[in-house]
């Protein structure tokens, strides 16, 4: 035993062994994983935006460029004229006549179309016999070619030998001049549009109705609410996003209507006095009859702004109505 010898004990440590440094391969894998998590969602949605830029954004911007020039179909690009094409279009009576016709046909077609689609969807949502057959049946008009629909309805609404006027005369009413009277022609064209699109919109609304929880209807029935009350207090508020979608798409399609008015007579110019000439037919006439691409492009841009304006107004009105109905319930 050694007396006086001092020994220094090693410091006590509670921590475990130090972790081994990450290998370069693991660090690279971690960086790649971070990049993948951060950027892969953008790559997934990139094809849509690339396709939209090629087929939607570029034509829109190029049309705006053409509208700022004196552009002829044969001679091509001319001198820069600024907003002269827009001024010439807006100061002419033809544009405002076509705008009035377009809005009139749009209102006559969209309002009853969405109301009828909502009622048909409500009926199809009930326990009907052969419900699949009925649901397929309402879609049949949509698969018919618009030209075929226009040809059939133009004969039905013929002024002299049309079936509609024959039925009116049978019940003692005066025949309607479907092709010469401005409002009557709008009603006839709106009927074609409603025939094709009501069933399509009804199926969209039906799909949304089937996602509404049935418990809500059962609770409302226990509380004494009748079918009409359930429809306004439950169905309409629950369908608000779908109704807004249907209204927006109907607005876009209704303001771009072309096939039905063009095929309403054999000339395709919107009537002898342009009584049913829409903005798209006016645009077509400027571009491919008068060969004035500059003014046609100006009409295209004005139509685009009109559709955006109508879409925003319809969205705000629909949102306000649905919110008010939800608060009442």
């Amino acid at each position: 035993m050694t007396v006086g010898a001092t020994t220094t004990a090693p410091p006590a440590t509670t921590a475990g062994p130090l972790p081994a440094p990450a290998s370069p391969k693991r660090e690279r894998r971690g960086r790649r994983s971070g990049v993948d998590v951060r950027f892969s969602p953008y790559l997934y949605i990139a094809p849509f935006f690339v396709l939209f830029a090629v087929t939607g954004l570029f034509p829109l911007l190029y049309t705006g460029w053409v509208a700022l020039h004196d552009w002829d179909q044969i001679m091509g690009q001319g001198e820069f004229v600024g907003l002269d094409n827009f001024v010439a279009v807006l100061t002419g009576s033809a544009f405002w006549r076509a705008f009035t016709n377009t809005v009139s046909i749009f209102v006559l077609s969209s309002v009853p179309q969405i109301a009828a689609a909502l009622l048909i969807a409500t009926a199809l949502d009930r326990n009907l016999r052969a419900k699949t057959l009925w649901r397929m049946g309402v879609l049949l008009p949509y698969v018919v070619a618009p030209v075929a629909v226009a040809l059939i309805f133009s004969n039905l609404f013929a002024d002299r030998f049309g079936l509609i006027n024959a039925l009116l005369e049978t019940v003692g009413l005066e025949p309607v001049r479907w092709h010469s009277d401005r409002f009557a022609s709008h009603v006839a064209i709106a009927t074609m549009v409603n025939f094709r699109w009501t069933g399509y919109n009804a199926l969209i609304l039906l799909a949304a109705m089937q996602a509404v929880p049935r418990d809500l209807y059962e609770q409302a029935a226990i509380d004494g609410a009748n079918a009409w009350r359930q429809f306004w207090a439950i169905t309409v508020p629950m369908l608000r996003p779908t109704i807004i979608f249907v209204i927006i798409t109907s607005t876009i399609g209704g303001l771009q209507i072309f096939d039905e008015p063009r095929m309403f007579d054999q000339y395709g110019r919107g009537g002898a006095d342009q009584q049913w000439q829409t903005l798209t037919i006016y645009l077509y006439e400027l571009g491919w009859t008068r060969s004035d691409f500059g003014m046609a492009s100006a009409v295209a841009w004005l139509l685009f702004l009109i559709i955006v304006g109508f879409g925003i107004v319809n969205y705000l009105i629909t949102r306000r109505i649905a919110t008010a109905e939800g608060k009442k319930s």
Side-chain angles (χ1 to χ4, degrees):
M1 180 177 181
T2 305
V3 177
T6 59
T7 59
T8 303
T13 57
T14 57
L18 294 175
S23 64
K25 184 177 181 180
R26 181 176 296 178
E27 290 182 355
R28 288 195 298 272
R29 185 180 301 171
R31 286 197 295 270
R32 285 199 298 268
S33 177
V35 171
D36 179 54
V37 171
R38 181 177 298 179
F39 294 104
S40 59
Y42 299 101
L43 294 178
Y44 294 149
I45 62 175
F48 165 77
F49 288 99
V50 172
L51 191 63
F52 170 74
V54 174
T55 62
L57 185 60
F58 173 73
L60 183 66
L61 298 177
Y62 189 72
T63 302
W65 174 257
V66 175
L68 300 176
H69 291 78
D70 183 12
W71 204 296
D72 186 81
Q73 184 180 10
I74 299 175
M75 303 302 294
Q77 181 178 354
E79 61 179 4
F80 180 81
V81 296
L83 299 177
D84 288 354
N85 285 327
F86 290 92
V87 174
V89 168
L90 292 174
T91 54
S93 60
F95 173 80
W96 295 109
R97 182 173 54 245
F99 173 75
T100 305
N101 294 338
T102 303
V103 174
S104 175
I105 296 172
F106 162 68
V107 173
L108 289 173
S109 60
S110 295
V111 175
Q113 178 189 137
I114 294 174
L118 197 57
L119 294 177
I120 293 173
T122 304
L124 292 176
D125 193 38
R126 297 184 177 275
N127 292 323
L128 300 175
R129 291 184 178 179
K131 61 175 66 176
T132 304
L133 176 65
W134 292 110
R135 292 173 182 176
M136 292 177 60
V138 298
L139 193 61
L140 283 179
Y142 176 71
V143 301
V144 179
V147 175
V149 174
L151 289 175
I152 293 171
F153 276 82
S154 61
N155 285 287
L156 288 177
F157 288 102
D159 292 341
R160 297 185 60 186
F161 304 107
L163 179 62
I164 305 299
N165 276 343
L167 293 175
L168 292 176
E169 291 178 348
T170 302
V171 297
L173 297 177
E174 292 290 329
V176 180
R177 298 180 299 170
W178 297 107
H179 287 77
S180 55
D181 184 80
R182 189 178 189 185
F183 181 74
S185 64
H186 294 180
V187 173
I189 294 171
T191 304
M192 300 183 208
V193 179
N194 292 333
F195 173 76
R196 284 198 69 228
W197 291 97
T198 301
Y200 174 82
N201 289 327
L203 287 186
I204 294 177
L205 295 171
L206 174 63
M209 281 183 186
Q210 293 184 335
V212 178
R214 300 297 165 180
D215 297 344
L216 298 177
Y217 294 105
E218 294 175 0
Q219 294 173 5
I222 293 174
D223 293 337
N226 55 21
W228 180 256
R229 180 62 178 167
Q230 293 177 21
F231 176 76
W232 286 107
I234 299 176
T235 305
V236 172
M238 295 293 288
L239 294 183
R240 186 181 67 175
T242 308
I243 293 175
I244 292 175
F245 169 78
V246 170
I247 289 177
I248 296 298
T249 53
S250 298
T251 302
I252 296 172
L255 295 176
Q256 290 181 335
I257 184 172
F258 180 79
D259 295 331
E260 289 84 357
R262 182 165 174 79
M263 297 297 297
F264 192 51
D265 67 353
Q266 64 270 34
Y267 303 106
R269 301 183 60 182
D273 296 326
Q274 285 75 45
Q275 58 268 31
W276 70 82
Q277 185 186 61
T278 59
L279 283 174
T280 50
I281 294 180
Y282 179 52
L283 186 156
Y284 183 87
E285 180 183 346
L286 288 174
W288 279 267
T289 302
R290 305 183 192 177
S291 301
D292 192 343
F293 278 8
M295 289 187 65
S297 300
V299 173
W301 253 92
L302 291 172
L303 178 60
F304 168 73
L305 297 177
I306 290 170
I307 292 173
V308 172
F310 270 81
I312 293 174
V313 171
N314 283 342
Y315 170 76
L316 294 177
I317 293 175
T318 308
R319 185 179 179 184
R320 188 179 183 85
I321 293 174
T323 304
E325 292 295 336
K327 289 180 180 179
K328 288 180 181 178
S329 64

